[in-house]
Amino acid sequence: MKVKDTAGLALRLFIGILILFIIMNSCDKNNKMLKEDINNKDNIGYSLVENDISEEDIKTLLYSFAESPYKGKIQFLEKIEFGIPGGDNWLVEWIDRNGRNNTLILYLIKNNEIKKHYYSIVNFDMQANSRYDIMKDIPGIHIGNGTCSLGDFNGDGIDEVFQCGFYGYGKALHIWGYDAEKDSLVAYCDIPFGLIDAENGPAPVEFMTYKGIDGFKVYYAATVVAGGPNDIPETPLDNNKWFFYAWDEGEKEYIRIEEVKDGE
């Protein structure tokens, strides 16, 4: 009997030690996972805490920013993916001092701090330049009543800003993106355009698929500058024609493909 009792005691002791070993090993794994989560800034918990900033918080931060070019009202605020590393990308529209054309400024914000800002893109008042709604068929998020729209126009997964510009020297179409090497905003295109009829249209830009290629056509109209008081300015041969443009990934810009004639 004593031999039997000793064997049973040894078995119970072995089982107890095994259970204790399993518990300690499990705790050690949990501690390691917890340490990894704390040190990993890309884990879900960290992201939720870091990015738990409301739009009102962002507005308060922007209004208090010492280098804000305007102390007016924020008209538009959108968190976007513009490709700028090191924080969240926010596109903000500030009301202009003259109350007409507003300005778009891009901010890089991290940990409730403005790291950088890139400006500026003028959001021209559309009604002041065309009674016909030239923006109605432009894709993306239209910004206020202006001539700018936010979207991924070249299909690379990164946002850009489309702009119909009405300048003193003439009209120009721009699509603005971010250049990582220059760390600045760059124009992916600079195309002069004209309005056929400011009252009845059509719009000077139309996004379309042409011969199987995605892009847009523009009613091309370059500004003619006279060389002197006695010079007779010549209208460029390309003026008053529709040309199709498409994104060139190698050149990182929109290039002209060919003229789009009636019926095409």
Side-chain angles (χ1 to χ4, degrees), residues 75-138:
Q75 299 287 89
F76 175 88
L77 177 69
E78 186 79 14
K79 183 179 177 181
I80 64 175
E81 182 51 64
F82 216 73
I84 303 176
D88 295 329
N89 303 173
W90 289 85
L91 184 65
V92 181
E93 180 188 32
W94 291 89
I95 189 169
D96 203 333
R97 289 192 179 98
N98 61 23
R100 293 183 61 189
N101 300 320
N102 295 344
T103 300
L104 302 179
I105 300 179
L106 189 66
Y107 293 89
L108 178 66
I109 299 177
K110 184 177 178 62
N111 294 333
N112 205 25
E113 179 183 352
I114 296 175
K115 299 295 185 180
K116 293 181 181 179
H117 61 289
Y118 305 79
Y119 59 89
S120 59
I121 302 171
V122 178
N123 192 19
F124 292 90
D125 184 351
M126 185 183 64
Q127 294 180 348
N129 294 283
S130 175
R131 292 175 294 279
Y132 180 81
D133 187 357
I134 63 175
M135 295 293 294
K136 66 177 183 177
D137 294 323
I138 301 299

Side-chain angles (χ1 to χ4, degrees), residues 183-194:
D183 188 27
S184 66
L185 302 184
V186 294
Y188 290 152
C189 62
D190 181 5
I191 308 169
F193 71 87

Side-chain angles (χ1 to χ4, degrees), residues 142-157:
H142 295 180
I143 303 176
N145 296 318
T147 59
C148 288
S149 183
L150 170 68
D152 178 13
F153 299 100
N154 59 10
D156 65 352

